[in-house]
Amino acid sequence: MTQGIKIVLIVFCFLVLFFCLSGFVMTGSFSVHAPLEQKEHYQFVINLYVIGSLFSLFLLVYLMFFTKVSK
């Protein structure tokens, strides 16, 4: 993997992580005042954001620590 591709992937992971964490916070704040029948929908959306942020975090750690840059 070249250094340019690695930098692009790391920046992409940071953007996805920021999007997922901000979506998680916003959805959590919306679900506080939601009616009871919509709470399940909000919980599903929150789970998607958590899965996306965990995947992005694991990919970021893998890219930063377990890949070597080829010349």
Side-chain angles (χ1 to χ4, degrees):
M1 178 181 301
T2 63
Q3 186 173 4
I5 292 173
K6 186 175 179 178
I7 290 172
V8 167
L9 287 174
I10 288 173
V11 169
F12 178 73
C13 284
F14 273 117
L15 289 174
V16 169
L17 189 62
F18 175 75
F19 171 75
C20 286
L21 291 177
S22 63
F24 172 75
V25 169
M26 288 184 351
T27 305
S29 65
F30 290 149
S31 69
V32 170
H33 302 292
L36 203 56
E37 54 272 349
Q38 288 183 346
K39 295 254 187 209
E40 189 174 312
H41 169 74
Y42 282 119
Q43 187 64 38
F44 177 73
V45 173
I46 286 174
N47 288 340
L48 287 178
Y49 281 128
V50 168
I51 290 169
S53 62
L54 286 176
F55 178 74
S56 177
L57 189 65
F58 288 142
L59 184 60
L60 187 64
V61 168
Y62 175 76
L63 286 171
M64 292 180 79
F65 297 114
F66 298 111
T67 57
K68 298 199 184 302
V69 175
S70 61
K71 294 181 180 182

